[in-house]
Amino acid sequence: MTATQTGATFEDRNPATGEVIAQVHESTQDDLDRAVRAARTAFDGGKWSQMAASRRAKVINKMASLIAERANDLMLMEVRDNGKAISTAKGEMGAIVDCFEFYAGAATKNYGETMPPPLPTYLANTVREPVGVVGAIIPWNFPLLLASWKVAPALAAGCAVVLKPAPSTPLTAIELGKIALEAGVPEGVLNIVTGSGRELGQWLVEHPLVDKIAFTGSTATGKIVAKTAADTLKRVTLELGGKSPSIVFDDANLEAAVAAAIYGIYYNAGQACEARSRVLVQRAIYDRFVAAFVERARNVRVGNPEDPQTHVGAITMPEQFEKIANYCEIGRSEGARVLLGGERASLDGPNAQGMFWSLTAYEATPQARIAREEIFGPVVTFVPFADEAEAIAIANASEYGLSASVWSENIGRANRVARAIRTGTVAINTPYAVFPGVPFGGYKQSGYGRELGMETMRLYSETKSVLTFIGEKPMNPFGV
Ligand code: NAP
Ligand code: MG
């Protein structure tokens, strides 16, 4: 790993205090080119890409154990860089270790297939080969976790990677680069470049020596990435935005559904792509549900991210803070009913300069902008519905299709609705639906391709078909 050529840096801040916590290298186009060439050379050299899968698995497992050993330091680094509550970061560290362990196992199971012979004298089989050099671009909401979702399967498949974290949260990605080297990933296989997306990210997507782009971010940027990548026909996977609904029927376990609705929107201050930012509640229980939500949400502690008692920390970026404030203004101007919050949360002591937003809830029509557009903050919109058909119609009337939840004690109804919802994930009666072995990704404008699960191994691989002639009499198609 080497630094940038010019030595230029940019400031990285702690959003909970406003303090500058690091000066980070600002990579130039030359630096990016060096990183891509290092990846290309490493990939083509074959030390990693041709290594026995069982050996790659051992190295990836070693990465998992180094991350586990350093979880406390990585967690604190993430908290200071991103502003999230330390309780949230702690959960992520466990998920990151699980992700590397899962893909260590997956490395040895990226099977090809054997086909029935297309002719009696043929053997036909496929092998999965690594797709090549992967450009991985990630946002700032779950920095190390989302880096892991790309780096772990890419390494398991035998790819080389150039990883670009978001400039507001680059620190744990840099640590991941060091951990990879220490675990035995050969030099040049995992490269980290830091700098702005519009420049560095764009150059990475344009670079002719990159074979695939794995992107997580907003739908707007995802479209630019897809268009740019089309020029060189790169493989592209896109994990984009969402406006995910929770649908609560009148036969739901209300206790559990209320607790999950609170967690579903306020976890990570609502800065989660799969946040359940629309809660659709059947009319018969609507008032009771909303009252219970508001009452119990008052027990959620917004505060100093480094305090283990805190549930919800800071908003990560000034632009995001402005966006949330702006949507709350829009909510007011649309005549939405404020159920909770709706303004900045002021803290004192070391967090007096921090960017905190109060836990916010509105009641609105399904057509309101705050009920349709992704806010990416601790802002939830309640919408009542009459029956199953109306709930499905409201849930599906969205350009997004990332995740949904269904709450009902009637398993027939819960599964009927799950089938009718056009999203990549549906959680029935649970607040947790993201695990390393289960594919995660979007329908519609929430993107394409999947992360996690074995399915992802295919997206970091090419399929090669190998045909072997085994007959005794040589073939002579022209009879010459
Ligand atoms: P963003 O603006 O799209 O940025 C994502 C990343 O792309 C950043 O590293 C960014 O760098 C970079 N970038 C910007 N312009 C680029 C370009 N032209 N070419 C290549 N890269 C470029 O998204 P964000 O606002 O940071 O993140 C929040 C969004 O991510 C939300 O919409 C959320 O739903 C989505 N998200 C989706 C998932 C999922 O798995 N589906 C998970 C988490 C987040 P800069 O920061 O310098 O612009
Ligand atoms: Mg930061």
Side-chain angles (χ1 to χ4, degrees):
M1 185 183 290
T2 51
T4 54
Q5 275 173 329
T6 63
T9 58
F10 61 89
E11 284 181 348
D12 178 16
R13 286 177 189 272
N14 178 343
T17 61
E19 269 173 305
V20 174
I21 53 167
Q23 297 290 338
V24 182
H25 287 289
E26 173 99 64
S27 306
T28 61
Q29 194 161 9
D30 269 359
D31 295 320
L32 189 263
D33 187 57
R34 281 196 300 147
V36 172
R37 284 177 193 283
R40 189 81 248 169
T41 305
F43 181 80
D44 293 342
K47 244 196 205 167
W48 182 254
S49 54
Q50 310 277 327
M51 183 185 277
S54 57
R55 270 192 67 201
R56 275 207 304 269
K58 285 198 176 70
V59 175
I60 298 169
N61 259 325
K62 177 78 183 168
M63 287 180 76
S65 48
L66 289 174
I67 293 167
E69 272 168 34
R70 289 171 206 174
N72 284 338
D73 292 345
L74 288 167
M75 198 159 86
L76 202 56
M77 181 180 269
E78 198 81 304
V79 166
R80 293 185 175 154
D81 207 358
N82 165 285
K84 66 177 66 222
I86 198 152
S87 53
T88 303
K90 193 172 180 185
E92 281 161 42
M93 291 305 142
I96 291 160
V97 173
D98 286 352
C99 179
F100 276 95
E101 287 177 347
F102 178 84
Y103 283 108
T108 55
K109 292 158 199 79
N110 199 17
Y111 304 130
E113 290 176 307
T114 304
M115 284 81 213
L119 293 172
T121 51
Y122 270 46
L123 286 180
N125 68 288
T126 59
V127 283
R128 293 269 167 73
E129 296 187 339
V131 73
V133 173
V134 174
I137 301 175
I138 53 169
W140 41 265
N141 56 339
F142 297 106
L144 189 57
L145 182 71
L146 295 182
S148 305
W149 285 16
K150 296 184 175 5
V151 170
L155 291 182
C159 298
V161 181
V162 178
L163 169 67
K164 192 205 91 65
S168 47
T169 56
L171 301 183
T172 48
I174 298 169
E175 289 309 301
L176 187 64
K178 296 181 194 162
I179 285 171
L181 281 180
E182 212 178 312
V185 174
E187 205 152 318
V189 171
L190 176 59
N191 309 272
I192 319 297
V193 290
T194 47
S196 102
R198 243 156 294 152
E199 295 187 323
L200 202 55
Q202 181 76 21
W203 298 328
L204 184 56
V205 181
E206 286 169 3
H207 204 295
L209 297 181
V210 173
D211 299 290
K212 169 184 167 130
I213 294 292
F215 175 84
T216 299
S218 63
T219 294
T221 309
K223 290 178 186 177
I224 298 172
V225 166
K227 283 182 192 156
T228 309
D231 277 341
T232 41
L233 286 181
K234 289 182 175 58
R235 285 87 184 105
V236 178
T237 44
L238 300 173
E239 295 294 346
L240 309 176
K243 188 76 179 178
S244 297
S246 223
I247 305 169
V248 187
F249 286 96
D250 59 9
D251 59 3
N253 174 337
L254 286 198
E255 181 79 12
V258 168
I262 291 170
Y263 174 81
I265 184 60
Y266 299 136
Y267 163 71
N268 211 43
Q271 301 174 119
C273 52
E274 84 284 17
R276 302 303 195 266
S277 49
R278 299 188 282 156
V279 181
L280 318 184
V281 187
Q282 197 158 16
R283 278 194 200 283
I285 54 160
Y286 182 81
D287 290 339
R288 207 152 37 105
F289 189 92
V290 169
F293 180 99
V294 168
E295 190 194 319
R296 286 170 68 182
R298 293 193 200 283
N299 299 327
V300 176
R301 287 181 292 271
V302 179
N304 178 1
E306 294 183 40
D307 179 345
Q309 300 303 315
T310 294
H311 295 115
V312 177
I315 304 304
T316 306
M317 301 208 300
E319 298 87 331
Q320 189 54 39
F321 192 83
E322 285 307 309
K323 187 174 166 192
I324 295 166
N326 189 36
Y327 269 109
C328 288
E329 265 314 305
I330 292 171
R332 259 184 285 276
S333 68
E334 287 180 317
R337 185 158 76 96
V338 184
L339 302 168
L340 197 65
E343 74 256 314
R344 180 186 191 117
S346 296
L347 271 63
D348 44 24
N351 301 114
Q353 304 301 315
M355 297 181 290
F356 294 85
W357 197 262
S358 62
L359 305 183
T360 298
Y362 291 103
E363 177 185 282
T365 65
Q367 294 76 31
R369 282 184 65 194
I370 56 164
R372 285 188 293 113
E373 297 175 19
E374 184 182 49
I375 299 174
F376 220 60
V379 182
V380 70
T381 308
F382 282 93
V383 175
F385 68 84
D387 55 18
E388 217 173 290
E390 194 188 12
I392 293 166
I394 297 172
N396 281 340
S398 171
E399 69 190 31
Y400 295 115
L402 191 58
S403 297
S405 299
V406 182
W407 290 86
S408 170
E409 292 296 294
N410 175 335
I411 59 164
R413 166 188 269 174
N415 279 283
R416 237 175 5 252
V417 175
R419 194 183 283 180
I421 298 292
R422 306 258 312 141
T423 59
T425 297
V426 182
I428 298 176
N429 295 338
T430 172
Y432 303 115
V434 183
F435 298 97
V438 182
F440 178 89
Y443 281 26
K444 301 195 264 185
Q445 295 197 34
S446 289
Y448 44 73
R450 289 291 177 270
E451 298 207 284
L452 304 178
M454 287 305 285
E455 194 168 332
T456 300
M457 292 298 287
R458 287 173 177 261
L459 301 170
Y460 288 99
S461 308
E462 293 281 9
T463 299
K464 180 175 282 175
S465 299
V466 183
L467 292 137
T468 311
F469 177 73
I470 58 166
E472 281 182 271
K473 187 164 169 265
M475 288 180 133
N476 185 355
F478 278 159
V480 289

